[in-house]
Amino acid sequence: RLAMAGQVLAATLGQRADWKESDLETWLRTILDQDERIFGMALAFEPRQFDPNQEDYCLYVFRGPQAVEKKQLTPPGYIPVYREWDWYKKPLLAQQARWSDPYIDTGGGEIPMVTYSTPFYRDGKVAGVLTLDLSVQYFDVLRGWMGEQHLADDSYGFVVSSSGIIISHPHPEYD
C-alpha cells in the first residue's frame, strides 16, 4: 500500500511544472500527518527541473525530535550531492521504484532507515525522484505486532531486505 501511494504521488508531481516550495512542503506535511509509518519524504529534482535558475533542489520533510521539520538536502549540509546517493541513482538506473537496504541517513533524518524511491517524469523525461522513508524502529514495532498474533508456538516474525540484510529480528544477535 505504501508503494502504491508513492507511485500516485510521483504521477501527481509529473502533472505540473509550476510547483512552489510552499505547496510541496504543505503537501508533504499533510502526508506525514496522515501516515505515522512514514518518517520523512524527499522531492529531489534533476538539475533545473524545479527552478530553471537553481541547479539543485531537494526538499526533505521529516519527523524531527520535537515536530515535523524541513531542510534542503543540498551541499554543504548534505554531501555528496543527492544525485550521487543510491536512493536517487538506483531507481533512475532501473527506471522503476526501488526499496533501499537499511542505511543511516547522515545529513538528512540522521537515523537508520529504509527508503522507497520512485522516479517521476514530466513530458516523458525524468524530472526527479520522490522518496518515502521508514525508520528501522518502525519495523521493530511491526515485528512486535506480528508477535502478538501468536501464529504458532515458538514462531516469530522478522524483516529482511531484498538483498538479504536483516532489518528487524527479535533476537538481538541478528539485528
Side-chain angles (χ1 to χ4, degrees), residues 70-87:
K70 78 165 184 173
K71 64 169 73 170
Q72 283 289 327
L73 298 183
T74 54
Y78 197 72
I79 296 174
V81 69
Y82 60 88
R83 289 184 306 281
E84 296 180 25
W85 288 72
D86 282 348
W87 61 259

Side-chain angles (χ1 to χ4, degrees), residues 37-40 60 62-63 85 99-116 132-140 165-168 175:
R37 298 173 301 171
I38 301 172
F39 172 80
Y60 187 53
F62 64 103
R63 298 181 194 283
W85 288 72
W99 281 100
S100 74
D101 282 330
Y103 67 102
I104 296 176
D105 188 28
T106 305
E110 305 293 344
I111 65 163
M113 64 175 61
V114 295
T115 297
Y116 177 81
L132 301 169
D133 297 329
L134 302 179
S135 72
V136 169
Q137 182 182 9
Y138 164 76
F139 291 99
D140 293 338
I165 295 174
I166 295 174
I167 297 172
S168 178
D175 267 347

